[in-house]
């Protein structure tokens, strides 16, 4: 039974069948593998985001987590859901930009120095001015990546930004759930 669940995950994500950690879960009779399958399904079939948005968010998180297997899956799936090459590129770029911002602003937040706060960041962020994905969705992905990276200052800033753009809590929560579930799946794909 657990072998079937593992095979369902492997098939759904287009993975090869050779995965030591998923095999460990099966061999150890871990019921978590069932949870993993359900969590993945629930995270990607959300009510407050389109399937394309959910998969582009997953792509940004997979890029952020440096997970080539999940990057491949989310890129292909996003293309199947009619994401343009520009939208895919922007989700990828968003993960990179936010990684830089998260480190920079997390440092400022941790240190709490007025001197550091007064020095210009000098990190180019032109992509944020007119995102291909639209301002609201770009900010939503930025929020998800910032949450995955643990930058409190960035999470608060992007959450406020998407709320100011009219985004409700359920849509925000869906994006955060995607980030957390994609990260949890990534931990098992070595």
């Amino acid at each position: 039974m657990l072998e079937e669940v593992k095979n369902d995950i492997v098939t759904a994500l287009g993975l090869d069948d050779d995965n030591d950690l998923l095999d460990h879960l099966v061999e150890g009779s871990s019921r978590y593998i069932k949870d993993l399958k359900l969590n993945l399904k629930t995270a990607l079939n959300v009510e407050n985001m389109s399937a394309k948005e959910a998969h582009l968010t997953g792509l940004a998180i997979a890029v952020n987590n440096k997970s080539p297997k999940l990057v491949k899956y989310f890129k292909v799936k996003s293309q199947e859901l009619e994401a343009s090459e520009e939208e895919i590129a922007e989700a990828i770029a968003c993960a990179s930009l936010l990684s830089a911002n998260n480190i920079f602003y997390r440092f400022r937040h941790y240190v709490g120095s007025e001197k550091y706060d007064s020095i210009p960041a000098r990190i180019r962020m032109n992509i944020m001015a007119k995102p291909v994905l639209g301002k609201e969705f770009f900010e939503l992905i930025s929020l998800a990546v910032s949450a995955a990276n643990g930058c409190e200052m960035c999470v608060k800033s992007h959450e406020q930004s998407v709320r100011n753009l009219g985004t409700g809590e359920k849509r925000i929560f869906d994006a955060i759930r995607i980030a957390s579930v994609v990260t949890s799946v990534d931990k098992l794909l070595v």
Side-chain angles (χ1 to χ4, degrees):
M1 170 100 171
L2 294 181
E3 184 70 32
E4 290 175 28
V5 174
K6 182 201 99 166
N7 291 337
D8 289 346
I9 294 169
V10 166
T11 300
L13 295 176
L15 303 171
D16 57 44
D17 196 32
D18 184 29
N19 187 291
D20 290 342
L21 295 179
L22 289 176
D23 288 337
H24 250 347
L25 293 179
V26 171
E27 291 162 12
S29 299
S30 175
R31 294 173 299 177
Y32 176 68
I33 199 162
K34 291 180 183 178
D35 292 341
L36 187 67
K37 177 184 172 185
L38 293 173
N39 290 345
L40 190 58
K41 181 179 179 183
T42 300
L44 295 175
N45 295 310
V46 292
E47 294 178 20
N48 301 289
M49 297 173 82
S50 69
K52 180 174 91 171
E53 288 174 327
H55 286 80
L56 285 169
T57 302
L59 174 61
I61 298 302
V63 168
N64 182 71
N65 293 349
K66 297 182 272 184
S67 177
K69 293 175 182 179
L70 290 178
V71 167
K72 180 180 177 183
Y73 165 74
F74 282 110
K75 184 177 177 201
V76 168
K77 191 67 176 172
S78 294
Q79 290 168 328
E80 289 173 7
L81 294 166
E82 300 183 1
S84 69
E85 290 304 314
E86 291 82 6
E87 291 170 321
I88 291 169
E90 194 160 271
I92 292 167
C94 182
S96 177
L97 172 61
L98 267 293
S99 292
N101 285 354
N102 293 160
I103 290 169
F104 184 84
Y105 289 104
R106 192 168 52 226
F107 169 79
R108 276 188 171 175
H109 176 76
Y110 287 162
V111 174
S113 165
E114 288 183 28
K115 180 63 177 172
Y116 289 131
D117 288 346
S118 69
I119 300 171
R122 299 182 76 186
I123 296 174
R124 303 288 296 198
M125 297 181 260
N126 290 328
I127 191 174
M128 291 180 127
K130 287 188 173 183
V132 172
L133 296 169
K135 186 71 173 162
E136 185 273 344
F137 186 50
F138 188 91
E139 285 289 326
L140 190 62
I141 292 176
S142 298
L143 171 59
V145 172
S146 295
N149 289 335
C151 179
E152 179 182 355
M153 180 181 263
C154 296
V155 166
K156 287 180 177 180
S157 175
H158 291 293
E159 192 272 346
Q160 186 62 54
S161 180
V162 293
R163 300 267 301 146
N164 289 345
L165 292 166
T167 305
E169 287 92 349
K170 289 182 180 180
R171 182 168 165 84
I172 292 168
F173 213 66
D174 284 345
I176 300 305
R177 184 181 305 107
I178 290 167
S180 55
V181 170
V182 169
T183 298
S184 73
V185 171
D186 174 53
K187 301 300 182 205
L188 299 173
L189 303 181
V190 293

